[in-house]
Amino acid sequence: QVHLVESGGGLVQAGGSLRLSCTASGRTSSTRSGMGWFRQAPGKEREFVAVTSWNGRDTDYADFVQGRFTISKDTVNTVDLQMNSLKPEDTAVYYCAASTYYSGSSNRNHYDYWGQGTQVTVSS
């Protein structure tokens, strides 16, 4: 099993920044494909935000990111999401996810492990 724990969420004003972190523990060797971030706003489906390959060399972002977010892997078992120029519509619970087989997928069904989520609230 792989355990993912997110941190770094909170309340920020529009235009502000937050940095989310996710740490993986357990049998992390089974998830050496990709790690990503998804988000879910109230009443909406969980949607893709960003993904990185296991070695951090390849990344992909949702269209709505528009250069505001950066995903990075500082260590083998951590993945961060730096979010700048936040907008009220970015308000959601943000989830870290890890995939056993897929590297760089934006499909939430390709992810085997999920964190508990961290709330991000952007006020106008």
Side-chain angles (χ1 to χ4, degrees):
Q1 280 290 338
V2 175
H3 188 52
L4 303 175
V5 178
E6 304 100 333
S7 62
L11 173 65
V12 65
Q13 289 187 335
S17 299
L18 283 174
R19 188 176 183 89
L20 307 183
S21 295
C22 173
T23 300
S25 60
R27 297 185 63 182
T28 57
S29 59
S30 66
T31 61
R32 293 196 172 180
S33 292
M35 294 187 73
W37 286 94
F38 291 75
R39 71 184 188 183
Q40 188 167 17
K44 295 187 177 181
E45 292 191 351
R46 192 170 298 187
E47 63 178 352
F48 167 72
V49 177
V51 62
T52 178
S53 58
W54 174 69
N55 58 15
R57 293 176 183 172
D58 300 310
T59 60
D60 192 21
Y61 298 90
D63 289 342
F64 63 78
V65 169
Q66 297 177 328
R68 300 180 297 127
F69 298 175
T70 302
I71 189 170
S72 62
K73 290 189 95 281
D74 294 335
T75 70
V76 170
N77 293 327
T78 63
V79 59
D80 291 349
L81 185 68
Q82 176 66 42
M83 304 187 294
N84 300 325
S85 302
L86 284 162
K87 305 174 183 179
E89 51 263 44
D90 293 318
T91 294
V93 177
Y94 283 70
Y95 296 91
C96 174
S99 175
T100 302
Y101 300 110
Y102 295 91
S103 178
S105 175
S106 61
N107 186 338
R108 63 178 185 265
N109 294 319
H110 289 169
Y111 288 81
D112 310 283
Y113 303 99
W114 293 85
Q116 81 289 350
T118 185
Q119 177 70 47
V120 171
T121 303
V122 184
S123 63
S124 57

